[in-house]
Amino acid sequence: MTENAQQQPPAPDSELPTQYAPADVEGPLYERWVERGYFEADAKSEKPPYTIVIPPPNVTGSLHLGHAFQHTLMDALTRRKRMQGYESLWLPGMDHAGIATQNVVERELGKEGKSRHDLGREEFVERVWQWKDEYGGKILGQMRRLGDGVDWTRERFTMDEGLSQAVQTIFKRLYDDELIYRAERIINWCPRCLTAISDIEVEYQDDDGELVSMKYGEGDDTIVVATTRAETMLGDTAVAVHPDDERYKHLVGRHIKLPLTDRTIPVVADTHVDPEFGTGAVKVTPAHDPNDFAIGQRHGLESLTVMDERGVITVHGPFEGLDRFEARSAIVAALRADGRIVAEKRPYVHSVGHCSRCKTTIEPRLSMQWWVKVAPLAKAAGDAVRDGRVKIHPQEMEKRYFDWVDNLHDWCISRQLWWGHRIPVWYGPEGEVVCVGPDEEPPTGEGWTQDSDVLDTWFSSGLWPFSTLGWPEQTPDLKKFYPTDVLLTGHDIIFFWVARMMMFGLYAMDGEVPFKTIALTGLVRDQFGKKMSKSSGTAVDPLDWMNAYGSDAVRFTLARGANPGTDVPIGEDWVQASRNFANKIWNATRFALMNGATVDGPLPDASGMTATDRWILSRLNETIAEVDALYDDFQFAKLSDALYHFAWDEVFDWYVELSKTTFQAGGEPAKVSGRVLGEVLDVTLKLLHPIVPFVTETLWTTLTGGESIVIADWPTDSGFRDAAAEREIETLQQVITEVRRFRADQGLQPGQRVPARLTLDGTALAPHEAAIRQLLRLQPEGDAFAATATLPVGGATVALDLSGTIDVAAERKRLAKDLAAAEKEKAQATAKLGNEAFLAKAPDNVVDKIRGRLTKADEDIARIKSQLDGLPEA
């Protein structure tokens, strides 16, 4: 907090406007928070630290509902911890997003009729930096709109000077420890982005393709193989069969003719081949398939590359220059003409990998790349969870984590791009290879060149928890705020990001974990639970909802759907309901302020309170304890729901209404209740603040005159409980609810007054007669009172005079008709459920539906009979 903020507390408004207008409040309020330094963390503080680093959004990105969802939860965690007295740091920043950003700038160049090659590497990279400065980081402003309480003084970017030093440092260490190496292997290649991509950046989908069975060899040497990628047969260097397959034993070791070429290829025996699948023989193309590459390595086969980086055929005259898909059709046609096609199946639906960014079909390609040897790093990442140093929440997500880290392949980290961290390796004229650390000078002189590739974006973001705090320097921030406390992120990037941070954090920080808890969320879906998409018209811009309903409404809706690890359905009507909740808080607080609610002085002794006062304070403390437990378990949906029902139902609908007679009577009881109401509002607003920060700040500063709820103390459970008062008010609620239901069943208007006699003597309800009459619109009985309906409820009796308010005969006739219908429904459902033949054949969901009808019929019959019993004789 800044010194200026301490010296100049804001003056609270003397009164609240009649309506809450989020658009008028949110922007200025957020800027006030930032100016006063409320979100800035102090590494020199004696307070215990609490740290969350934001999953860095792409520099090209804008706020979507997924961001809004996770940011709301992270903001809630850090705001609460700040109020609890922690030195709370929520560190923001952005990812340079190598492929995505380069694609954006290349498209801009394309509009000028240029490519990056026209500019050259240095000028192109400078152009990307210019784009980043002018257009990048749009999401940062949108985060302010959402209310993100991040420490903007510590904002980082994965390509800034400090993080670039961290990247070079860890590359050098891994290289020296022989955990980074260069090798020629099969990688996932995108012919559109013209770069390698990692396994986790490949999206698989079922595509309509073709399965072609073709005949290799001649005469007795004939063998049939099948493929979905006929164009790769130009690069075949063997046919493989299982060593125990009797059908082909005579061919193993022999060479057979490869169609359409002048080459012969060997038949090899390999246990990888499944003799039960297809013909039991597979074509082997080591340069264009990862399994074939492994077979080739085992048998010393040649690897022939037959496509260039754009997927264009580079060999064999008739097909040279054709795109891979054009070549596929042409090669099948040529084989067919040569009598080599045995069978063709179209369409043949099979799983095909696509680039997650541009959706182009991935091409497996033999390529010289840089790799991380992940086995020892992944083992450490698995052990940290197994031994409890890192908790995964919810725990059932541990299996997904272990399935991944226990089966990791070496990670291809080089990308054929210009935007990103360039690999710090130089090659000399005599074949020298030198890896250069951040404090070392690269070799110079004729013939020395730096590797042209850049590192995978996930390489630098894998360092995020410690590089953002100043590593490799031993900074005060690193000492104070590392390890971080919680990594809150979607379960969909366990593989992309979480595992990378675990591996690098444990390696770089000498076995110290990067975070203590991994809290995994679900994904935001539409109101029907389906994936949101622009093409289907279900994608939502959260800024549109913020403009319409306010940021608090969007935040509360998202938090209220946040069950750990479970997807979050959301619809606009739910945001409207949250807006109504914010309005309810506003209106109730206005009422309270107008009726003497205050936070001045200590709470009065319980002996001077009404049962209603003691009840709400007891419930308040129970709610504090419940909310704290749910926060610690990351149960955002449950804690939001608990706060919603406590605030709306218990405080605003019950306590405020039950206290109106006390306020109207005035005197000492009104003063006591005013102080109790002030206490309840003070605490309720604090409990709500981390999720709905704007409306609570405005109301709290007005109620208390305090500087800001952001730096207020988090409520603690005082231990006050009053079970007797809770039972008394529960009975009172039962009476009011039952009589209200009866009135509604009789068709009485809510405001219609009815003469009533209350028999409350000998019950705990006697002190509440005035409140009961006010809430139920019950007049004194008068001289002409005639009890036409009597309701025994909660140990009390409420007798009503309904003469002149309803047509008893007509009402009895209507209810009799409803009763007959309910009894008929019950008879039909009972008959079906008693029919053994029906039960044997009917699906479970149909039987369940009929059981539900029977239950409802029983409830309807009981309700209607009760209504009839309550009516006078016609």
Side-chain angles (χ1 to χ4, degrees):
M1 192 194 317
T2 65
E3 186 176 319
N4 184 55
Q6 293 175 329
Q7 291 176 348
Q8 299 180 21
D13 296 331
S14 57
E15 60 182 36
L16 293 168
T18 55
Q19 290 185 322
Y20 177 51
D24 297 338
V25 171
E26 293 175 350
L29 203 53
Y30 185 83
E31 293 310 315
R32 189 187 309 164
W33 289 334
V34 173
E35 288 167 8
R36 291 184 172 151
Y38 293 156
F39 305 139
E40 294 175 19
D42 183 2
K44 298 178 182 177
S45 167
E46 295 298 319
K47 297 177 183 178
Y50 183 82
T51 315
I52 294 180
V53 292
I54 204 167
N58 285 356
V59 67
T60 59
S62 60
L63 190 75
H64 56 64
L65 273 175
H67 291 127
F69 171 53
Q70 292 181 357
H71 287 206
T72 293
L73 305 187
M74 285 184 277
D75 196 29
L77 291 173
T78 50
R79 283 179 183 268
R80 171 176 174 257
K81 285 295 184 180
R82 187 177 295 112
M83 295 172 76
Q84 286 183 314
Y86 286 78
E87 196 61 37
S88 189
L89 170 62
W90 186 19
L91 193 148
M94 292 184 299
D95 192 286
H96 65 279
I99 296 177
T101 308
Q102 179 159 320
N103 282 347
V104 168
V105 178
E106 286 199 80
R107 281 197 296 270
E108 293 298 312
L109 284 175
K111 295 175 184 177
E112 303 172 17
K114 297 178 181 178
S115 74
R116 60 179 162 128
H117 300 286
D118 294 322
L119 272 64
R121 182 171 194 140
E122 187 173 334
E123 188 176 342
F124 174 77
V125 170
E126 178 58 33
R127 183 73 172 258
V128 180
W129 277 108
Q130 291 172 6
W131 179 91
K132 184 258 182 187
D133 292 340
E134 187 171 356
Y135 301 106
K138 175 183 178 183
I139 191 172
L140 299 179
Q142 296 168 336
M143 287 163 55
R144 301 170 88 94
R145 179 69 193 282
L146 185 66
D148 283 10
V150 297
D151 185 347
W152 291 110
T153 67
R154 285 178 165 84
E155 180 190 334
R156 304 305 300 267
F157 179 54
T158 50
M159 289 278 286
D160 69 28
E161 183 178 351
L163 269 65
S164 295
Q165 182 185 25
V167 167
Q168 195 171 353
T169 299
I170 201 162
F171 187 99
K172 171 70 171 173
R173 291 187 186 180
L174 289 164
Y175 181 87
D176 289 347
D177 287 344
E178 298 183 351
L179 293 173
I180 281 183
Y181 63 94
R182 192 168 184 244
E184 189 175 45
R185 294 200 182 161
I186 293 286
I187 46 90
N188 303 299
W189 181 266
C190 176
R192 160 63 183 80
C193 297
L194 299 179
T195 182
I197 64 174
S198 64
D199 292 343
I200 52 180
E201 293 169 299
V202 179
E203 293 179 349
Y204 288 90
Q205 66 184 47
D206 287 341
D207 286 356
D208 287 345
E210 60 181 2
L211 181 66
V212 179
S213 298
M214 47 197 182
K215 185 168 55 177
Y216 284 14
E218 305 287 352
D220 292 340
D221 290 349
T222 297
I223 195 167
V224 175
V225 298
T227 183
T228 58
R229 300 164 65 218
E231 69 279 8
T232 63
M233 60 87 58
L234 299 176
D236 286 359
T237 54
V239 170
V241 297
H242 194 276
D244 298 331
D245 195 331
E246 293 294 335
R247 294 171 294 176
Y248 302 119
K249 278 198 170 181
H250 68 289
L251 290 176
V252 174
R254 298 176 62 176
H255 281 66
I256 60 174
K257 169 90 171 139
L258 179 66
L260 306 183
T261 72
D262 57 2
R263 292 192 291 119
T264 61
I265 56 176
V267 177
V268 299
D270 196 281
T271 54
H272 172 76
V273 180
D274 180 2
E276 303 298 323
F277 183 77
T279 64
V282 297
K283 58 189 285 300
V284 181
T285 321
H288 292 278
D289 182 272
N291 293 322
D292 293 3
F293 178 78
I295 293 174
Q297 292 287 98
R298 288 193 289 272
H299 296 277
L301 301 176
E302 185 180 6
S303 296
L304 298 179
T305 299
V306 297
M307 277 179 249
D308 68 11
E309 60 183 9
R310 297 182 185 275
V312 174
I313 302 298
T314 58
V315 298
H316 201 69
F319 312 109
E320 189 173 358
L322 294 179
D323 171 81
R324 54 185 169 155
F325 300 119
E326 296 172 335
R328 183 175 299 173
S329 299
I331 287 171
V332 170
L335 289 168
R336 191 184 300 113
D338 200 27
R340 293 282 177 176
I341 298 297
V342 176
E344 298 177 67
K345 184 176 182 180
R346 295 187 188 88
Y348 178 71
V349 179
H350 63 130
S351 182
V352 177
H354 296 260
C355 174
S356 62
R357 290 178 176 82
C358 70
K359 311 309 176 186
T360 300
T361 301
I362 289 300
E363 192 62 45
R365 175 181 170 85
L366 185 62
S367 180
M368 182 67 75
Q369 301 285 345
W370 285 93
W371 304 80
V372 172
K373 183 179 179 181
V374 300
L377 303 175
K379 181 181 184 304
D383 290 345
V385 175
R386 287 189 170 95
D387 64 24
R389 283 176 290 156
V390 176
K391 305 287 186 185
I392 292 182
H393 189 89
Q395 191 173 3
E396 55 266 26
M397 286 286 180
E398 282 186 1
K399 183 179 184 302
R400 291 186 66 185
Y401 176 81
F402 291 134
D403 285 348
W404 179 253
V405 298
D406 292 347
N407 298 285
L408 270 179
H409 300 295
D410 284 1
W411 172 19
C412 176
I413 56 171
S414 46
R415 298 291 180 266
Q416 289 64 56
L417 304 171
W418 288 355
W419 172 245
H421 295 101
R422 195 165 175 181
I423 289 175
V425 171
W426 272 256
Y427 305 108
E430 304 300 325
E432 302 96 329
V433 179
V434 176
C435 180
V436 177
D439 300 322
E440 301 171 347
E441 291 295 324
T444 57
E446 187 175 349
W448 282 94
T449 58
Q450 185 178 358
D451 195 297
S452 60
D453 289 351
V454 300
L455 288 163
D456 178 8
T457 295
W458 296 103
F459 189 95
S460 52
S461 59
L463 315 181
W464 191 250
F466 52 93
S467 64
T468 52
L469 296 172
W471 186 90
E473 301 300 323
Q474 293 304 307
T475 63
D477 276 2
L478 193 65
K479 182 178 179 181
K480 176 74 174 179
F481 297 111
Y482 191 89
T484 67
D485 287 87
V486 178
L487 171 70
L488 189 144
T489 191
H491 62 66
D492 56 325
I493 61 170
I494 292 178
F495 320 125
F496 288 89
W497 192 44
V498 177
R500 312 295 193 208
M501 287 188 290
M502 285 286 283
M503 291 191 296
F504 280 168
L506 290 160
Y507 173 79
M509 300 301 293
D510 299 321
E512 194 168 18
V513 298
F515 22 74
K516 300 164 190 171
T517 301
I518 301 169
L520 296 171
T521 71
L523 309 179
V524 179
R525 303 289 188 183
D526 70 16
Q527 59 187 317
F528 305 109
K530 295 181 180 178
K531 184 178 180 181
M532 289 186 173
S533 69
K534 291 181 180 178
S535 59
S536 64
T538 57
V540 173
D541 184 343
L543 293 170
D544 291 341
W545 280 354
M546 288 184 216
N547 290 334
Y549 308 110
S551 297
D552 283 335
V554 174
R555 289 169 62 114
F556 192 74
T557 304
L558 291 165
R560 206 171 178 195
N563 290 298
T566 304
D567 288 350
V568 183
I570 184 172
E572 187 167 4
D573 55 337
W574 303 341
V575 186
Q576 291 172 347
S578 295
R579 184 268 316 273
N580 295 343
F581 179 50
N583 288 341
K584 182 77 170 181
I585 301 169
W586 184 272
N587 293 332
T589 304
R590 284 188 75 247
F591 168 85
L593 290 169
M594 289 187 293
N595 284 274
T598 179
V599 295
D600 294 338
L603 274 174
D605 189 78
S607 61
M609 295 179 185
T610 66
T612 309
D613 294 334
R614 298 194 306 276
W615 161 73
I616 197 63
L617 288 175
S618 183
R619 287 294 303 122
L620 178 68
N621 280 287
E622 288 174 5
T623 301
I624 293 170
E626 181 183 8
V627 167
D628 276 335
L630 291 170
Y631 258 118
D632 292 341
D633 199 34
F634 304 99
Q635 297 281 356
F636 295 98
K638 290 181 179 178
L639 73 88
S640 299
D641 212 47
L643 285 170
Y644 175 89
H645 288 294
F646 175 71
W648 191 307
D649 300 346
E650 298 187 90
V651 179
F652 305 144
D653 276 359
W654 283 110
Y655 181 72
V656 169
E657 292 299 319
L658 290 171
S659 300
K660 281 182 178 178
T661 53
T662 304
F663 289 129
Q664 289 166 359
E668 189 60 27
K671 290 181 181 179
V672 171
S673 290
R675 180 64 188 89
V676 170
L677 180 53
E679 182 75 11
V680 171
L681 285 175
D682 174 21
V683 172
T684 302
L685 291 170
K686 287 176 180 176
L687 293 174
L688 284 165
H689 172 73
I691 298 173
V692 285
F694 295 107
V695 68
T696 52
E697 169 80 334
T698 307
L699 296 174
W700 186 85
T701 53
T702 303
L703 171 71
T704 68
E707 179 182 342
S708 173
I709 198 171
V710 176
I711 54 172
D713 291 336
W714 182 255
T716 56
D717 177 5
S718 71
F720 177 81
R721 300 290 191 278
D722 193 323
E726 290 199 37
R727 288 193 299 271
E728 181 174 328
I729 301 305
E730 284 170 9
T731 303
L732 176 60
Q733 290 172 330
Q734 182 186 2
V735 170
I736 292 170
T737 301
E738 288 297 321
V739 176
R740 278 177 173 167
R741 183 180 295 120
F742 180 79
R743 286 176 55 111
D745 288 342
Q746 306 312 314
L748 297 177
Q749 294 301 312
Q752 188 173 352
R753 294 196 169 274
V754 178
R757 176 185 298 148
L758 304 184
T759 305
L760 306 176
D761 294 342
T763 74
L765 300 179
H768 302 287
E769 179 168 353
I772 293 171
R773 286 190 178 276
Q774 181 166 313
L775 291 175
L776 292 174
R777 304 295 190 269
L778 303 180
Q779 297 176 180
E781 54 191 272
D783 294 337
F785 179 81
T788 58
T790 302
L791 302 174
V793 57
T797 302
V798 180
L800 303 173
D801 183 353
L802 302 178
S803 59
T805 61
I806 61 170
D807 183 335
V808 175
E811 187 64 16
R812 278 193 171 277
K813 186 176 180 182
R814 182 184 70 81
L815 289 172
K817 183 178 179 182
D818 290 347
L819 181 61
E823 288 175 337
K824 181 179 179 182
E825 174 74 2
K826 177 179 180 178
Q828 290 175 341
T830 302
K832 283 191 175 182
L833 293 173
N835 185 333
E836 294 296 333
F838 168 78
L839 293 176
K841 295 178 182 178
D844 289 345
N845 64 320
V846 172
V847 176
D848 289 343
K849 188 175 180 180
I850 294 171
R851 288 194 179 114
R853 283 169 50 192
L854 178 59
T855 300
K856 185 176 185 304
D858 282 333
E859 291 171 352
D860 288 344
I861 290 167
R863 176 179 55 81
I864 296 167
K865 284 183 175 180
S866 176
Q867 290 174 238
L868 283 167
D869 291 343
L871 285 175
E873 294 299 325

